[in-house]
Amino acid sequence: MSLRASRRSTAPAAGTPKPSEKNYVTPRGLRLLREELDELRKVERPQVVEVVSWAAGNGDRSENGDYIYGKKRLREIDRRLRYLLRRIENAEQVDPARQNREKVFFGATVTYVDADADLDAPEQSLRIVGVDEALNTKGTISWRAPIARALMKAEEGDVVTVRTPEGAREIEVVGIDYEAIA
């Protein structure tokens, strides 16, 4: 097997969506993807092309930092553009407002407590969103995350088991909300 063939046959990294896989996304998430695509296409790429053109006109390209960096940046931008186009093309917009409000589904904001902890354990909240819009620091997680998968179809008062690297953990759902995501 050739080196090229072996590279093509490698599987994507864990958690990386396959290009043909549906990309579940909230209306806000789809808007953000499109805004990033427009920004790259209409603002950033033309600016970098202008710098590269100017740098190319300055002569020797082998020692021209503006030219070398600019070409590298163009490759990065083009790679990101292709990725965004695939993600938008495969996007399946799910409006959280249309979900069953009695159970946890995509787009839900779930409030829960650690069922194994004391009675005064703090409540925690998280919102289940698409892979591209999940930012753990903002309380949003991907629908593919282990805790999101465990919570799917749970109702208020249910205790679910989440498998973590530290072992199984039980959490109790204390609230489900489907507020509009702007």
Side-chain angles (χ1 to χ4, degrees):
M1 179 189 290
S2 73
L3 183 58
R4 281 188 180 163
S6 66
R7 282 186 185 160
R8 271 184 266 144
S9 64
T10 58
T16 304
K18 297 174 186 147
S20 61
E21 198 172 73
K22 284 289 183 190
N23 177 25
Y24 295 107
V25 63
T26 62
R28 177 184 180 272
L30 186 57
R31 182 177 44 82
L32 291 173
L33 287 173
R34 288 181 174 149
E35 285 174 3
E36 182 182 355
L37 180 71
D38 286 345
E39 175 75 17
L40 287 173
R41 271 186 181 164
K42 296 175 181 175
V43 179
E44 193 167 348
R45 192 172 195 290
Q47 288 173 349
V48 174
V49 167
E50 188 177 319
V51 170
V52 169
S53 296
W54 169 81
N58 288 340
D60 186 13
R61 296 176 186 174
S62 65
E63 295 181 12
N64 188 331
D66 288 329
Y67 180 80
I68 293 168
Y69 173 75
K71 291 295 282 185
K72 180 182 176 198
R73 183 66 188 131
L74 274 177
R75 285 190 298 274
E76 292 168 355
I77 290 170
D78 289 343
R79 188 176 312 117
R80 183 67 181 167
L81 285 170
R82 285 190 302 275
Y83 175 80
L84 289 170
L85 285 169
R86 273 195 317 268
R87 297 301 288 165
I88 291 170
E89 179 180 294
N90 293 330
E92 186 165 316
Q93 185 173 309
V94 179
D95 188 358
R98 296 179 186 251
Q99 296 287 26
N100 175 347
R101 295 185 175 279
E102 304 300 316
K103 293 186 177 189
V104 176
F105 289 107
F106 185 89
T109 298
V110 183
T111 304
Y112 64 93
V113 293
D114 194 343
D116 298 329
D118 298 332
L119 292 175
D120 59 340
E123 291 184 349
Q124 299 177 12
S125 291
L126 56 84
R127 177 170 299 184
I128 301 171
V129 295
V131 174
D132 296 312
E133 54 190 317
L135 296 170
N136 197 21
T137 57
K138 291 192 173 192
T140 58
I141 61 166
S142 165
W143 62 275
R144 299 170 132 212
I147 191 169
R149 288 183 177 196
L151 287 168
M152 288 295 178
K153 297 184 182 176
E155 297 179 14
E156 237 177 85
D158 286 356
V159 175
V160 298
T161 302
V162 180
R163 307 248 180 258
T164 67
E166 293 83 32
R169 179 176 147 210
E170 290 191 337
I171 60 174
E172 180 181 352
V173 177
V174 294
I176 302 168
D177 187 27
Y178 283 98
E179 63 189 49
I181 302 172

